[in-house]
Amino acid sequence: MRRIMVATDGSSGADRAVDVAAEIAKALSGNLLIVTVADSLAFEQAQQMVLAEGSTGDVLEAMTTQTLKTAEARARDLGASQIELQVGWGDITRSLIDIARGGSVEMIVVGRRGRGQLAGLLLGSVSQKLVSLAPCAVVVVP
């Protein structure tokens, strides 16, 4: 297994997923693809932050860049060296599946729950859908 993708939204669950993915990538001398997806919730958060900061697009880009850079630093601290960053847009599950298919990903690592509104569920909707629909192995990190 040489190409591992991890999805992050900056949550503590996503941080744990980044940790696991980085350890796997390091152990296998594999490539780590760190992905965040800007969906309608992220767009709403960006609109609230706009005030005097600039356009919604600028704020959304800054948010996604910060999320990815934080995850990249975390992965590098754990020894992952071959790291790529990517932003997806739209439906989170669909975007992750499309990126996995297009990037020859052999494993997707996700947190059990992210920032979703139904945080009380044992398995979040994105991770649950990925387990059912992904074209590769999926590791769900508690």
Side-chain angles (χ1 to χ4, degrees):
M1 196 162 310
R2 307 262 320 151
R3 188 145 167 94
I4 297 105
M5 181 173 89
V6 61
T8 183
D9 60 6
S11 66
S12 60
D15 286 347
R16 291 189 299 276
V18 169
D19 292 351
V20 169
E23 292 288 347
I24 293 170
K26 178 183 173 188
L28 299 175
S29 298
N31 295 334
L32 181 61
L33 174 60
I34 303 173
V35 177
T36 193
V37 178
D39 65 347
S40 59
L41 180 59
F43 185 77
E44 289 171 19
Q45 289 172 337
Q47 283 181 318
Q48 292 173 5
M49 294 175 64
V50 168
L51 301 177
E53 298 290 325
S55 74
T56 304
D58 294 339
V59 173
L60 189 55
E61 183 177 342
M63 288 171 55
T64 57
T65 299
Q66 182 59 43
T67 298
L68 288 173
K69 291 295 185 179
T70 300
E72 179 184 27
R74 189 176 189 99
R76 286 199 190 283
D77 285 347
L78 290 168
S81 59
Q82 301 172 37
I83 300 174
E84 298 172 51
L85 307 176
Q86 186 169 341
V87 176
W89 301 95
D91 178 75
I92 297 170
T93 305
R94 175 77 347 219
S95 292
L96 293 174
I97 289 171
D98 289 347
I99 291 167
R101 281 194 176 121
S104 302
V105 170
E106 297 177 60
M107 176 189 290
I108 300 172
V109 181
V110 292
R112 178 175 59 199
R113 288 184 294 228
R115 292 185 178 166
Q117 295 175 339
L118 301 174
L121 293 176
L122 181 61
L123 192 62
S125 62
V126 171
S127 54
Q128 188 175 31
K129 288 177 189 175
L130 284 173
V131 166
S132 299
L133 302 173
C136 58
V138 176
V139 174
V140 180
V141 178

